[in-house]
Amino acid sequence: ITYVLNGGEDPGYLQKDYIVGTTVTLQSAKREEFAFDGWYEDADFKNRIEVIDSSFSEDVKLYAKWSDNVYEINFDLNGAQGNIDRVFLGLQENFKIPDCEISRTYYTFMGWSTTENGEVEYKAGDVVSGLADKDGIVTLYAQWQRDSYEIQFYGNGADKGSLSSIEAYIGEYVALPISPYVKEGYVFRGWSTSSDGDVEFEDGASVKNIGLKGKSVKLYAVWDRFCVIKFVSSGGLGTMNEITVFSRENGKLPKNQFEKLGHSFAGWA
């Protein structure tokens, strides 16, 4: 297959030969600021051809026809790095909206809009035509959604309190809310990703990337049981302050401050 491009260029995928008896659907060539207007079997553009079918059995010479009755589409990646080449289209020429092959850190590509921060109007693979008048320019802006995850909070046996889930963004710190949970006989120590785990995050801590994109992470309240120890002299003299001990800490009893005439201190019971 020989292509006479008439000022255009081979985009790299024009098929150069064919097997007799098979069918080849002809692809478009490219030319800056012109719209491709089809292949023809003659230089006078009388016999248009779109398919080489099973009736062909010899070499084929094809002539590209171009139209300057065009408009231009530009692509704005809207924060991503890279480039997508502009295209020139005939006013009624069908065009397949491309995917955005350029990535943006911590964002997911959603589609294209004709406004910078608009709703998605076109998605990759959509076929459109006539987006502008002759010599018009259309800019399509890539629309991105920030990658996020949800943080859910559980009282883990609390008697009172509730806490709504929050949204966090991948790559950014988020402050955990102050816990409103209450459990009688216990002190709140922080949060854990397991219901029986140790403290991983303190109350109000700033955290980053503790969940996966589009997923939920569960944080459970970590409780520390406490008791108050009072000291009785058992007939001795003096005073001692009561102390509070916690189940998650190793407590140490204070030195005895009581005295009893004719007796020595033996310990606590």
Side-chain angles (χ1 to χ4, degrees), residues 91-169:
L91 298 183
Q92 299 304 318
E93 182 179 352
N94 288 336
F95 176 68
K96 192 173 187 180
I97 298 293
D99 195 356
C100 185
E101 298 179 355
I102 307 300
S103 62
R104 185 179 177 187
T105 303
Y106 303 136
Y107 286 78
T108 297
F109 174 69
M110 304 303 293
W112 300 94
S113 175
T114 52
T115 56
E116 185 173 2
N117 297 305
E119 298 292 330
V120 172
E121 299 174 56
Y122 308 109
K123 292 190 175 182
D126 288 350
V127 177
V128 299
S129 65
L131 296 185
D133 296 329
K134 182 180 183 327
D135 298 326
I137 298 176
V138 175
T139 298
L140 296 183
Y141 297 88
Q143 298 301 305
W144 303 93
Q145 178 175 285
R146 297 182 69 179
D147 294 337
S148 65
Y149 58 96
E150 182 185 46
I151 303 177
Q152 300 175 343
F153 302 93
Y154 294 85
N156 204 13
D159 298 318
K160 291 189 298 183
S162 63
L163 197 56
S164 298
S165 60
I166 63 174
E167 183 181 30
Y169 296 111

Coordinates of all heavy atoms in Angstrom, one line a residue, residues 91-169:
L91 N -15.3 19.9 11.0 CA -16.5 20.3 11.8 C -17.4 19.2 12.2 O -18.0 19.2 13.3 CB -17.3 21.4 11.1 CG -16.5 22.7 10.8 CD1 -17.4 23.7 10.2 CD2 -15.9 23.2 12.1
Q92 N -17.5 18.2 11.3 CA -18.4 17.0 11.7 C -17.5 15.7 11.8 O -18.1 14.6 11.8 CB -19.4 16.9 10.5 CG -20.3 18.0 10.4 CD -21.0 18.4 11.7 OE1 -21.5 17.6 12.4 NE2 -21.1 19.7 12.0
E93 N -16.2 15.9 11.9 CA -15.4 14.7 12.1 C -15.5 14.1 13.5 O -15.5 14.8 14.5 CB -13.9 15.1 11.8 CG -13.0 13.9 11.9 CD -11.5 14.3 11.6 OE1 -11.3 15.5 11.2 OE2 -10.6 13.5 11.7
N94 N -15.7 12.8 13.5 CA -15.7 12.1 14.8 C -14.3 12.1 15.4 O -13.3 11.9 14.8 CB -16.3 10.7 14.6 CG -17.7 10.6 14.3 OD1 -18.5 11.6 14.6 ND2 -18.2 9.6 13.7
F95 N -14.3 12.2 16.7 CA -13.1 12.2 17.5 C -13.3 11.4 18.8 O -14.2 11.6 19.5 CB -12.6 13.6 17.8 CG -11.4 13.7 18.7 CD1 -10.2 13.3 18.2 CD2 -11.4 14.2 20.0 CE1 -9.0 13.3 18.9 CE2 -10.3 14.2 20.7 CZ -9.1 13.8 20.2
K96 N -12.3 10.5 19.0 CA -12.4 9.7 20.2 C -11.6 10.3 21.4 O -10.4 10.6 21.2 CB -11.8 8.3 19.9 CG -12.1 7.3 21.0 CD -11.6 5.9 20.6 CE -12.0 4.8 21.5 NZ -11.6 3.5 21.1
I97 N -12.3 10.7 22.4 CA -11.7 11.3 23.6 C -10.6 10.4 24.1 O -10.8 9.3 24.5 CB -12.7 11.7 24.7 CG1 -13.7 12.6 24.1 CG2 -12.0 12.3 25.9 CD1 -13.2 14.0 23.8
P98 N -9.3 11.0 24.3 CA -8.3 10.1 24.8 C -8.3 9.9 26.3 O -8.9 10.7 27.0 CB -7.0 10.9 24.4 CG -7.5 12.3 24.4 CD -8.9 12.3 24.0
D99 N -7.6 8.9 26.7 CA -7.3 8.7 28.1 C -6.2 9.7 28.5 O -5.5 10.2 27.7 CB -6.9 7.3 28.4 CG -7.0 7.0 29.9 OD1 -7.3 7.9 30.7 OD2 -6.7 5.8 30.3
C100 N -6.1 10.0 29.8 CA -5.0 10.9 30.2 C -3.9 10.0 30.7 O -4.0 9.4 31.8 CB -5.5 11.8 31.3 SG -4.2 13.0 31.8
E101 N -2.9 9.8 29.9 CA -1.8 8.9 30.2 C -0.8 9.5 31.2 O 0.1 8.8 31.6 CB -1.1 8.4 28.9 CG -2.0 7.7 28.0 CD -1.4 7.3 26.7 OE1 -0.2 7.6 26.5 OE2 -2.0 6.6 25.9
I102 N -1.0 10.8 31.5 CA -0.1 11.4 32.5 C -0.7 11.3 33.9 O -1.9 11.5 34.1 CB 0.0 12.9 32.1 CG1 0.4 13.1 30.7 CG2 1.0 13.6 33.0 CD1 1.7 12.4 30.3
S103 N 0.1 10.9 34.8 CA -0.4 10.7 36.2 C -0.2 12.0 37.0 O 0.7 12.8 36.7 CB 0.3 9.5 36.8 OG 1.7 9.8 36.9
R104 N -0.9 12.1 38.1 CA -0.8 13.2 39.0 C -0.7 12.6 40.4 O -1.6 11.9 40.8 CB -1.9 14.2 38.9 CG -1.8 15.4 39.8 CD -3.0 16.4 39.6 NE -2.9 17.5 40.4 CZ -3.8 18.4 40.6 NH1 -5.0 18.3 39.9 NH2 -3.7 19.5 41.4
T105 N 0.3 12.9 41.1 CA 0.6 12.3 42.4 C -0.6 12.5 43.4 O -1.0 13.7 43.6 CB 1.9 12.8 43.1 OG1 3.0 12.5 42.2 CG2 2.2 12.1 44.4
Y106 N -1.1 11.4 44.0 CA -2.2 11.5 44.9 C -3.6 11.9 44.3 O -4.5 12.3 45.0 CB -1.9 12.4 46.1 CG -0.6 12.0 46.9 CD1 0.3 13.0 47.3 CD2 -0.3 10.7 47.2 CE1 1.5 12.6 47.9 CE2 0.8 10.3 47.8 CZ 1.7 11.3 48.2 OH 2.9 10.9 48.9
Y107 N -3.7 11.8 43.0 CA -4.9 12.1 42.3 C -5.3 11.0 41.4 O -4.4 10.3 40.9 CB -4.9 13.4 41.6 CG -4.9 14.7 42.4 CD1 -3.7 15.1 43.1 CD2 -6.0 15.4 42.5 CE1 -3.7 16.2 43.9 CE2 -6.1 16.6 43.3 CZ -4.9 17.0 44.0 OH -4.9 18.1 44.7
T108 N -6.6 10.8 41.0 CA -7.1 9.9 40.1 C -7.8 10.7 38.9 O -8.6 11.5 39.2 CB -8.1 8.9 40.7 OG1 -7.4 8.1 41.7 CG2 -8.6 7.9 39.6
F109 N -7.4 10.3 37.7 CA -8.0 11.0 36.5 C -9.5 10.5 36.4 O -9.8 9.4 36.4 CB -7.2 10.7 35.3 CG -7.8 11.2 34.0 CD1 -7.9 12.5 33.7 CD2 -8.4 10.3 33.1 CE1 -8.4 13.0 32.6 CE2 -8.9 10.8 31.9 CZ -9.0 12.1 31.7
M110 N -10.4 11.5 36.2 CA -11.8 11.2 36.1 C -12.4 11.4 34.7 O -13.3 10.8 34.3 CB -12.6 12.1 37.1 CG -12.1 11.9 38.5 SD -12.2 10.2 39.1 CE -14.0 10.0 39.2
G111 N -11.8 12.4 33.9 CA -12.3 12.7 32.6 C -12.0 14.1 32.2 O -11.0 14.7 32.8
W112 N -12.7 14.6 31.3 CA -12.4 16.0 30.7 C -13.6 16.9 30.8 O -14.8 16.5 30.8 CB -12.0 15.9 29.2 CG -10.8 15.0 29.0 CD1 -10.8 13.7 28.6 CD2 -9.5 15.4 29.0 NE1 -9.6 13.2 28.5 CE2 -8.7 14.3 28.7 CE3 -8.8 16.6 29.3 CZ2 -7.3 14.3 28.6 CZ3 -7.4 16.7 29.2 CH2 -6.7 15.5 28.9
S113 N -13.3 18.2 31.0 CA -14.3 19.2 31.1 C -13.9 20.4 30.2 O -12.7 20.6 30.0 CB -14.5 19.6 32.5 OG -15.5 20.7 32.6
T114 N -14.9 21.2 29.8 CA -14.6 22.4 29.0 C -14.3 23.6 30.0 O -14.0 24.7 29.5 CB -15.7 22.8 28.1 OG1 -16.9 22.8 28.8 CG2 -15.8 21.7 27.0
T115 N -14.4 23.4 31.3 CA -14.0 24.4 32.3 C -12.9 23.8 33.2 O -12.9 22.6 33.4 CB -15.2 24.9 33.1 OG1 -15.8 23.8 33.7 CG2 -16.2 25.6 32.2
E116 N -12.1 24.7 33.8 CA -10.9 24.2 34.5 C -11.3 23.4 35.7 O -10.7 22.4 36.0 CB -10.1 25.4 35.0 CG -8.8 25.1 35.7 CD -7.9 26.3 36.0 OE1 -8.4 27.4 35.6 OE2 -6.8 26.1 36.5
N117 N -12.3 23.8 36.4 CA -12.8 23.0 37.6 C -14.2 22.6 37.5 O -15.0 22.6 38.5 CB -12.5 23.9 38.9 CG -11.1 24.2 39.1 OD1 -10.2 23.3 39.2 ND2 -10.8 25.5 39.2
G118 N -14.6 22.2 36.3 CA -16.0 21.8 36.1 C -16.3 20.4 36.3 O -15.5 19.6 36.7
E119 N -17.6 20.0 36.0 CA -18.0 18.6 36.1 C -17.4 17.9 34.9 O -17.2 18.5 33.8 CB -19.5 18.5 36.1 CG -20.2 19.2 37.3 CD -19.9 18.4 38.6 OE1 -19.7 17.2 38.5 OE2 -19.8 19.1 39.7
V120 N -17.2 16.6 35.0 CA -16.8 15.8 33.9 C -17.8 15.8 32.8 O -19.0 15.4 33.0 CB -16.4 14.3 34.4 CG1 -16.1 13.5 33.2 CG2 -15.3 14.3 35.3
E121 N -17.4 16.2 31.6 CA -18.3 16.2 30.5 C -18.0 15.0 29.5 O -18.9 14.5 28.8 CB -18.2 17.5 29.7 CG -18.6 18.7 30.6 CD -18.4 20.0 29.9 OE1 -18.9 20.2 28.7 OE2 -17.6 20.9 30.4
Y122 N -16.8 14.7 29.4 CA -16.3 13.7 28.4 C -15.4 12.7 29.2 O -14.5 13.1 29.9 CB -15.6 14.3 27.2 CG -16.4 15.4 26.6 CD1 -16.0 16.7 26.7 CD2 -17.6 15.1 25.8 CE1 -16.7 17.7 26.1 CE2 -18.3 16.1 25.2 CZ -17.8 17.4 25.4 OH -18.6 18.4 24.8
K123 N -15.6 11.4 28.9 CA -14.7 10.4 29.5 C -13.9 9.8 28.4 O -14.3 9.8 27.2 CB -15.5 9.4 30.2 CG -16.2 9.9 31.5 CD -16.8 8.8 32.4 CE -17.3 9.3 33.7 NZ -17.8 8.3 34.6
A124 N -12.8 9.2 28.7 CA -11.9 8.5 27.7 C -12.7 7.5 27.0 O -13.5 6.7 27.5 CB -10.8 7.9 28.4
G125 N -12.6 7.6 25.6 CA -13.4 6.6 24.8 C -14.6 7.2 24.2 O -15.2 6.6 23.2
D126 N -15.1 8.3 24.8 CA -16.3 8.9 24.2 C -16.0 9.4 22.8 O -14.9 10.0 22.5 CB -16.8 10.1 25.0 CG -17.4 9.7 26.3 OD1 -17.7 8.5 26.5 OD2 -17.7 10.6 27.2
V127 N -17.0 9.3 21.9 CA -16.8 9.8 20.5 C -17.6 11.0 20.3 O -18.8 11.0 20.6 CB -17.2 8.7 19.4 CG1 -17.1 9.3 18.0 CG2 -16.3 7.5 19.6
V128 N -17.0 12.1 20.0 CA -17.6 13.4 19.9 C -17.4 14.0 18.5 O -16.5 13.6 17.8 CB -17.2 14.4 20.9 CG1 -17.4 13.8 22.3 CG2 -15.7 14.7 20.8
S129 N -18.1 15.0 18.1 CA -17.9 15.8 16.9 C -18.5 17.2 17.1 O -19.4 17.4 17.9 CB -18.5 15.1 15.7 OG -20.0 15.0 15.8
G130 N -18.0 18.1 16.2 CA -18.6 19.5 16.2 C -18.5 20.2 17.5 O -19.5 20.9 17.9
L131 N -17.4 20.1 18.2 CA -17.3 20.8 19.5 C -17.1 22.3 19.4 O -17.2 23.1 20.3 CB -16.1 20.2 20.3 CG -16.2 18.8 20.8 CD1 -15.1 18.4 21.7 CD2 -17.5 18.5 21.4
A132 N -16.8 22.8 18.1 CA -16.6 24.2 17.9 C -16.9 24.5 16.4 O -17.0 23.6 15.6 CB -15.2 24.6 18.2
D133 N -17.0 25.8 16.1 CA -17.2 26.3 14.8 C -15.9 26.4 14.0 O -14.8 26.2 14.6 CB -17.9 27.7 14.8 CG -19.3 27.6 15.4 OD1 -20.0 26.5 15.2 OD2 -19.7 28.6 16.0
K134 N -15.9 26.7 12.8 CA -14.7 26.8 12.0 C -13.7 27.8 12.6 O -14.1 28.9 13.1 CB -15.1 27.3 10.6 CG -13.9 27.4 9.6 CD -14.3 27.9 8.3 CE -13.2 28.0 7.2 NZ -11.9 28.3 7.7
D135 N -12.5 27.4 12.7 CA -11.4 28.1 13.2 C -11.5 28.4 14.8 O -10.8 29.1 15.3 CB -11.2 29.5 12.6 CG -10.9 29.4 11.1 OD1 -10.2 28.4 10.7 OD2 -11.3 30.2 10.3
G136 N -12.5 27.7 15.4 CA -12.6 27.8 16.8 C -11.6 27.0 17.5 O -10.9 26.1 17.0
I137 N -11.5 27.2 18.8 CA -10.5 26.5 19.7 C -11.3 26.0 20.9 O -12.0 26.8 21.6 CB -9.3 27.4 20.1 CG1 -8.5 27.8 18.9 CG2 -8.4 26.6 21.1 CD1 -7.4 28.8 19.2
V138 N -11.2 24.8 21.2 CA -11.8 24.2 22.4 C -10.7 23.7 23.3 O -9.7 23.0 22.8 CB -12.7 23.0 22.1 CG1 -13.2 22.3 23.3 CG2 -13.9 23.5 21.2
T139 N -10.7 24.0 24.6 CA -9.8 23.5 25.5 C -10.5 22.5 26.5 O -11.5 22.8 27.1 CB -9.1 24.6 26.4 OG1 -8.4 25.5 25.5 CG2 -8.1 24.0 27.4
L140 N -9.9 21.3 26.5 CA -10.5 20.3 27.4 C -9.5 20.2 28.6 O -8.3 20.0 28.5 CB -10.6 19.0 26.7 CG -11.6 18.9 25.6 CD1 -11.7 17.5 25.0 CD2 -13.0 19.4 26.0
Y141 N -10.1 20.3 29.8 CA -9.3 20.3 31.0 C -9.4 18.9 31.7 O -10.6 18.4 31.9 CB -9.7 21.4 32.0 CG -9.6 22.8 31.5 CD1 -10.6 23.4 30.7 CD2 -8.4 23.5 31.8 CE1 -10.4 24.7 30.3 CE2 -8.3 24.8 31.3 CZ -9.3 25.4 30.6 OH -9.1 26.7 30.1
A142 N -8.3 18.3 32.1 CA -8.3 17.1 32.8 C -8.9 17.3 34.2 O -8.6 18.3 34.8 CB -6.9 16.5 32.9
Q143 N -9.8 16.5 34.6 CA -10.5 16.6 35.9 C -9.9 15.5 36.8 O -9.9 14.3 36.4 CB -12.0 16.5 35.8 CG -12.6 17.6 35.0 CD -12.3 19.0 35.5 OE1 -12.6 19.3 36.7 NE2 -11.7 19.8 34.7
W144 N -9.5 15.9 38.0 CA -8.8 15.0 38.9 C -9.6 14.9 40.2 O -10.2 15.9 40.7 CB -7.4 15.5 39.2 CG -6.5 15.6 38.0 CD1 -6.4 16.8 37.3 CD2 -5.8 14.6 37.4 NE1 -5.5 16.5 36.2 CE2 -5.1 15.2 36.3 CE3 -5.5 13.3 37.6 CZ2 -4.3 14.5 35.4 CZ3 -4.7 12.6 36.8 CH2 -4.1 13.2 35.7
Q145 N -9.6 13.7 40.8 CA -10.2 13.5 42.1 C -9.1 13.1 43.1 O -8.2 12.3 42.8 CB -11.2 12.4 42.1 CG -11.8 12.1 43.4 CD -12.9 11.1 43.3 OE1 -14.0 11.4 42.8 NE2 -12.7 9.8 43.7
R146 N -9.0 13.8 44.2 CA -8.0 13.6 45.2 C -8.2 12.2 45.8 O -9.3 11.7 46.1 CB -8.0 14.6 46.3 CG -7.7 16.0 45.9 CD -7.8 17.0 47.0 NE -6.6 16.8 47.9 CZ -6.4 17.6 49.0 NH1 -7.2 18.5 49.3 NH2 -5.3 17.3 49.7
D147 N -7.1 11.5 45.9 CA -7.1 10.1 46.5 C -7.3 10.3 48.0 O -6.6 11.0 48.7 CB -5.8 9.4 46.2 CG -5.6 9.1 44.8 OD1 -6.6 9.1 44.0 OD2 -4.4 8.9 44.3
S148 N -8.3 9.6 48.5 CA -8.7 9.7 49.9 C -9.1 8.4 50.5 O -9.2 7.4 49.8 CB -9.9 10.7 50.1 OG -11.0 10.2 49.4
Y149 N -9.2 8.4 51.8 CA -9.7 7.2 52.5 C -10.5 7.7 53.7 O -10.5 8.9 54.1 CB -8.5 6.3 53.0 CG -7.5 7.0 53.9 CD1 -7.6 6.9 55.3 CD2 -6.5 7.7 53.3 CE1 -6.7 7.5 56.1 CE2 -5.5 8.4 54.1 CZ -5.6 8.3 55.5 OH -4.7 8.9 56.3
E150 N -11.2 6.8 54.3 CA -12.1 7.2 55.4 C -11.6 6.6 56.7 O -11.0 5.5 56.8 CB -13.5 6.6 55.2 CG -14.5 6.9 56.3 CD -15.9 6.2 56.0 OE1 -15.9 5.0 55.8 OE2 -16.9 6.9 56.2
I151 N -11.6 7.4 57.8 CA -11.2 7.0 59.1 C -12.5 6.8 60.0 O -13.2 7.8 60.1 CB -10.2 7.9 59.8 CG1 -9.0 8.1 58.9 CG2 -9.8 7.4 61.2 CD1 -8.0 9.1 59.5
Q152 N -12.7 5.6 60.5 CA -13.9 5.4 61.3 C -13.5 5.2 62.7 O -12.4 4.6 63.0 CB -14.7 4.1 60.8 CG -15.2 4.2 59.4 CD -15.8 3.0 58.9 OE1 -15.6 1.9 59.5 NE2 -16.6 3.0 57.8
F153 N -14.3 5.6 63.7 CA -13.9 5.5 65.1 C -14.9 4.6 65.9 O -16.1 4.8 65.7 CB -13.9 6.9 65.7 CG -13.0 7.9 65.0 CD1 -13.4 8.7 64.0 CD2 -11.6 7.9 65.4 CE1 -12.5 9.5 63.3 CE2 -10.7 8.7 64.7 CZ -11.2 9.6 63.7
Y154 N -14.4 3.8 66.7 CA -15.2 2.9 67.5 C -14.9 3.0 69.0 O -13.7 3.1 69.4 CB -15.0 1.4 67.1 CG -15.5 1.2 65.7 CD1 -14.7 1.4 64.6 CD2 -16.8 0.7 65.5 CE1 -15.1 1.2 63.3 CE2 -17.2 0.5 64.2 CZ -16.4 0.8 63.1 OH -16.9 0.5 61.8
G155 N -16.0 3.1 69.8 CA -15.8 3.3 71.3 C -15.2 2.1 72.0 O -14.7 2.2 73.1
N156 N -15.4 0.9 71.4 CA -14.7 -0.3 71.9 C -15.2 -0.5 73.3 O -14.3 -0.7 74.2 CB -13.2 -0.1 71.8 CG -12.5 -1.5 71.8 OD1 -13.1 -2.5 71.6 ND2 -11.2 -1.5 72.0
G157 N -16.5 -0.6 73.6 CA -17.0 -0.9 74.9 C -17.3 0.4 75.7 O -17.6 0.3 76.9
A158 N -17.3 1.5 75.1 CA -17.6 2.8 75.8 C -19.0 2.8 76.3 O -19.9 2.2 75.7 CB -17.3 4.0 74.9
D159 N -19.2 3.5 77.4 CA -20.6 3.7 78.0 C -21.3 4.8 77.3 O -22.5 4.8 77.1 CB -20.5 3.9 79.5 CG -19.9 2.8 80.3 OD1 -20.2 1.6 79.9 OD2 -19.1 3.0 81.1
K160 N -20.5 5.8 76.9 CA -21.1 7.0 76.3 C -20.2 7.6 75.2 O -19.0 7.3 75.2 CB -21.4 8.1 77.4 CG -22.5 7.8 78.4 CD -22.8 9.0 79.2 CE -21.6 9.5 80.0 NZ -21.9 10.6 80.9
G161 N -20.8 8.4 74.3 CA -20.0 9.1 73.3 C -20.3 8.5 71.9 O -20.6 7.3 71.7
S162 N -20.1 9.3 70.9 CA -20.1 8.9 69.5 C -19.2 9.9 68.7 O -19.0 11.0 69.1 CB -21.5 9.0 69.0 OG -22.0 10.3 69.0
L163 N -18.7 9.3 67.6 CA -17.8 10.1 66.8 C -18.0 9.7 65.3 O -17.9 8.6 65.0 CB -16.4 9.8 67.2 CG -15.2 10.7 66.8 CD1 -15.5 12.2 67.2 CD2 -13.9 10.3 67.4
S164 N -18.2 10.7 64.5 CA -18.5 10.5 63.1 C -17.1 10.2 62.4 O -16.1 10.7 62.8 CB -19.1 11.7 62.4 OG -20.4 12.0 63.0
S165 N -17.2 9.5 61.3 CA -16.0 9.2 60.5 C -15.5 10.5 59.8 O -16.3 11.4 59.6 CB -16.3 8.1 59.5 OG -17.3 8.5 58.6
I166 N -14.3 10.5 59.4 CA -13.7 11.7 58.8 C -13.0 11.2 57.5 O -12.6 10.1 57.3 CB -12.7 12.5 59.6 CG1 -11.5 11.6 60.0 CG2 -13.4 13.0 60.9 CD1 -10.4 12.3 60.7
E167 N -12.9 12.1 56.5 CA -12.2 11.8 55.3 C -10.8 12.4 55.4 O -10.5 13.5 55.8 CB -12.9 12.5 54.1 CG -12.3 12.2 52.7 CD -13.0 12.8 51.6 OE1 -13.6 13.9 51.8 OE2 -13.0 12.3 50.5
A168 N -9.8 11.6 54.9 CA -8.4 12.0 54.9 C -7.9 11.8 53.5 O -8.3 10.9 52.8 CB -7.6 11.1 55.9
Y169 N -6.9 12.6 53.1 CA -6.3 12.6 51.8 C -5.0 11.9 51.8 O -4.1 12.2 52.7 CB -6.2 14.0 51.2 CG -7.6 14.7 51.0 CD1 -8.0 15.7 51.8 CD2 -8.4 14.2 50.0 CE1 -9.2 16.3 51.6 CE2 -9.7 14.7 49.8 CZ -10.1 15.8 50.6 OH -11.3 16.4 50.4

